[in-house]
């Protein structure tokens, strides 16, 4: 689209590998804007409002959900895309779609569904995000899914096992030949990590699971705490946290832009295909910031995601997913008619996949209500 000047290494829709099913061009939108709009209008996107990021949806109204998380990722992604003259619309589309395949109950849900699917090809949420936009959204008369541009699909598929990559055709190729995706995809991936790392600090503190003392031992947090506390010694904790978080995000985003510029200067890619062949990720933190960021992630892993009050909830939701999977497996008629019909397949793997699609699409509260309906109160 005309408004933004794109760098030579950015994704340009006129050079795109296009859509799986050819369509005429949009009259007054760019093709990646059109993708973004399709994503926002999808059923899976609307359901993100009731899906967990870290806290289960009923634990409180103030925590982030996957919808607000996805918006925050898009916000960070667009800012960096603008600074680097990358394609903002494509970046936004990938960011908004990156979690569409997530199960209810966050990572606990995803890991449990993966276990249930162990004998049937497993369950990967990234692959499921692609499956949602390629197959499961039923919105168009002429094709399945949302028929997104290749570069959007390439960005949504962040990770993928080699076995699955072989079955995906062009969008799986880079996992077989160690290629990189376009810069917008690389950026969306890091914007996701920036968003959840920083915002989980906020939610964890709000929930009372992380204390200021603990957080101050984290280098990335501690450095900014000292600056803010010295300048505003009487600031109440909530505002203090926001002041620190804003500085943390600003620090890592600035580093990301600087280091990426340095790499782009060194590699001088002249097209998105040069980026794909670069042999390493070009959108990246400096080594020092990468280590700080990884340190914060390790800290959250230890002190928030595995906090004992979270572990109790984790066990409960794991049991719900297992029970639902077992119940639908023994009686597909417990699912709505369109899934029950789709699950009437002779092969167990095909049947299990339909069940996994159904469970993965559930919101936290729908999964809980279904569990109560089918299995009784837990
Ligand atoms: Mg995410």
């Amino acid at each position: 689209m005309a408004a933004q000047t794109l760098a030579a290494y950015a994704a340009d829709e006129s050079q795109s590998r296009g859509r799986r099913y050819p369509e005429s061009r949009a009259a007054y939108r760019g093709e990646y804007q059109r993708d973004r709009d399709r994503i926002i209008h999808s059923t899976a996107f609307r359901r993100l409002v009731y899906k967990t990021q870290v806290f289960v949806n009923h634990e409180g109204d103030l925590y982030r959900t996957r919808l607000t998380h996805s918006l925050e990722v898009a916000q960070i992604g667009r800012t960096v895309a603008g600074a680097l003259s990358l394609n903002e619309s494509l970046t936004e589309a990938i960011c908004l779609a990156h979690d569409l395949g997530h199960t209810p109950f966050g990572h606990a849900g995803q890991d449990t569904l993966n276990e249930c699917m162990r004998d049937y090809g497993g369950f990967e949420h990234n692959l499921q995000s692609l499956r949602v936009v390629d197959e499961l959204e039923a919105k168009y008369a002429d094709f399945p899914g949302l028929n997104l541009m290749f570069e959007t699909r390439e960005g949504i598929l962040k990770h993928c096992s080699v076995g699955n990559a072989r079955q995906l055709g062009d969008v799986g190729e880079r996992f077989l030949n160690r290629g990189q995706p376009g810069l917008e995809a690389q950026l969306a991936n890091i914007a996701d990590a920036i968003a959840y790392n920083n915002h989980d600090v906020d939610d964890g503190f709000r929930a009372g699971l992380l204390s200021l003392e603990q957080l101050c031992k984290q280098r990335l947090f501690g450095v900014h705490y000292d600056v803010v506390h010295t300048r505003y010694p009487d600031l109440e904790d909530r505002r203090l946290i926001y002041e620190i978080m804003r500085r943390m995000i600003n620090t890592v985003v600035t580093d990301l832009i600087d280091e990426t510029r340095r790499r782009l200067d060194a590699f001088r890619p002249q097209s998105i295909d040069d980026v794909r062949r670069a042999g390493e990720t070009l959108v990246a933190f400096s080594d020092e910031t990468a280590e700080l960021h990884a340190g914060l992630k390790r800290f959250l892993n230890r002190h928030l995601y595995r906090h004992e009050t979270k572990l109790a909830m984790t066990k409960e939701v794991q049991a719900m997913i297992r029970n639902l999977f077992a119940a639908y497996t023994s009686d597909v008629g417990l699912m709505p008619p369109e899934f029950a019909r789709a699950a009437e397949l002779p092969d167990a793997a095909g049947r299990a996949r339909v069940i996994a699609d159904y469970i993965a699409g559930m919101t936290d509260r729908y999964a809980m209500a279904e569990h109560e309906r089918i299995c009784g109160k837990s």
Side-chain angles (χ1 to χ4, degrees):
M1 278 299 271
Q4 205 201 347
T5 310
L6 295 177
Y9 45 71
D12 180 345
E13 66 178 57
S14 67
Q15 314 287 319
S16 170
R17 295 192 191 174
R19 302 184 187 278
R20 292 204 295 169
Y21 303 89
E23 292 184 65
S24 50
R25 296 177 67 86
Y28 41 77
R29 285 178 295 175
E31 294 302 313
Y32 299 121
Q33 289 179 316
R34 198 183 197 187
D35 278 7
R36 176 203 56 202
D37 298 350
R38 288 181 181 191
I39 290 159
I40 288 177
H41 289 123
S42 69
T43 308
F45 186 74
R46 278 198 300 282
R47 286 189 184 149
L48 293 179
V49 71
Y50 293 118
K51 287 198 182 194
T52 299
Q53 182 64 18
V54 172
F55 295 86
V56 173
N57 191 242
H58 67 228
E59 288 180 292
D61 288 346
L62 294 174
Y63 301 122
R64 286 167 176 85
T65 67
R66 286 210 178 268
L67 182 67
T68 54
H69 163 70
S70 299
L71 295 173
E72 289 172 357
V73 174
Q75 191 79 356
I76 292 170
R78 283 184 54 201
T79 301
V80 178
L84 296 170
S85 299
L86 298 179
N87 196 311
E88 280 188 44
S89 297
L90 173 60
T91 305
E92 187 179 16
I94 297 169
C95 290
L96 291 175
H98 85 281
D99 270 351
L100 288 181
H102 246 293
T103 60
F105 312 131
H107 285 277
Q110 121 93 29
D111 293 346
T112 312
L113 197 52
N114 188 30
E115 273 168 37
C116 295
M117 290 294 289
R118 195 170 28 209
D119 296 336
Y120 313 111
F123 180 89
E124 300 173 30
H125 69 266
N126 276 132
L127 188 59
Q128 190 71 7
S129 294
L130 186 68
R131 195 166 151 74
V132 166
V133 300
D134 277 359
E135 307 287 339
L136 299 180
E137 282 288 325
K139 288 259 189 309
Y140 293 87
D142 291 331
F143 44 76
L146 304 177
N147 197 30
L148 302 180
M149 299 281 274
F150 175 86
E151 294 73 22
T152 311
R153 298 171 58 236
E154 172 188 51
I156 291 172
L157 191 65
K158 280 197 284 195
H159 321 282
C160 174
S161 65
V162 169
N164 284 323
R166 283 202 187 95
Q167 294 170 25
L168 288 172
D170 54 2
V171 82
E173 271 169 26
R174 75 180 158 95
F175 299 97
L176 305 175
N177 62 20
R178 294 172 183 269
Q180 298 291 333
L183 295 170
E184 290 80 1
Q186 297 181 23
L187 169 55
N189 194 10
I190 296 198
D192 181 28
I194 294 174
Y196 67 66
N197 245 355
N198 287 280
H199 299 139
D200 288 353
V201 166
D202 181 36
D203 281 353
F205 180 76
R206 192 194 298 275
L209 301 183
L210 300 175
S211 69
L212 256 187
E213 293 68 39
Q214 268 180 320
L215 285 166
C216 283
K217 289 186 196 137
Q218 254 314 295
R219 244 175 79 213
L220 191 55
F221 188 96
V223 169
H224 294 295
Y225 173 86
D226 291 342
V227 173
V228 176
H229 186 65
T230 307
R231 188 155 170 203
Y232 307 101
D234 301 322
L235 202 60
E236 69 268 32
D237 285 355
R238 285 258 20 106
R239 287 218 276 178
L240 181 76
I241 288 277
Y242 282 127
E243 282 292 337
I244 294 168
M245 269 184 37
R246 191 160 54 245
R247 285 168 167 79
M248 281 167 62
I249 293 176
N250 189 44
T251 301
V252 296
V253 164
T254 304
D255 178 88
L256 179 66
I257 292 169
D258 291 347
E259 174 65 17
T260 303
R261 281 197 179 126
R262 198 188 65 69
R263 291 183 185 211
L264 288 169
D265 282 348
F267 275 86
R268 302 207 165 277
Q270 293 306 308
S271 67
I272 189 171
D273 281 328
D274 285 353
V275 170
R276 289 177 175 131
R277 286 189 294 260
E280 69 175 72
T281 313
L282 298 180
V283 181
F285 292 131
S286 65
D287 289 347
E288 194 194 345
T289 298
E291 181 43 41
L292 282 177
H293 215 243
L296 184 57
K297 188 172 178 169
R298 282 194 299 272
F299 167 84
L300 287 168
N301 219 342
R302 202 171 320 128
H303 297 286
L304 180 63
Y305 309 147
R306 291 191 200 152
H307 193 284
E308 57 186 31
T309 63
K310 290 225 58 60
L311 286 182
M313 179 58 88
T314 298
K315 286 205 178 103
E316 203 178 306
V317 299
Q318 285 170 334
M320 281 192 222
I321 298 279
R322 261 185 229 116
N323 293 343
L324 285 174
F325 192 89
Y328 298 137
T329 302
S330 56
D331 180 3
V332 295
L334 289 169
M335 294 189 291
E338 67 272 27
F339 283 93
R341 267 195 308 276
E344 279 168 8
L345 293 165
D347 67 307
R351 227 168 22 245
R353 185 61 58 192
V354 174
I355 294 168
D357 286 339
Y358 180 51
I359 293 178
M362 292 179 182
T363 62
D364 293 4
R365 60 182 192 170
Y366 184 80
M368 287 189 273
E370 261 302 271
H371 188 263
E372 195 173 328
R373 178 178 77 88
I374 294 171
C375 308
K377 235 186 162 23
S378 56

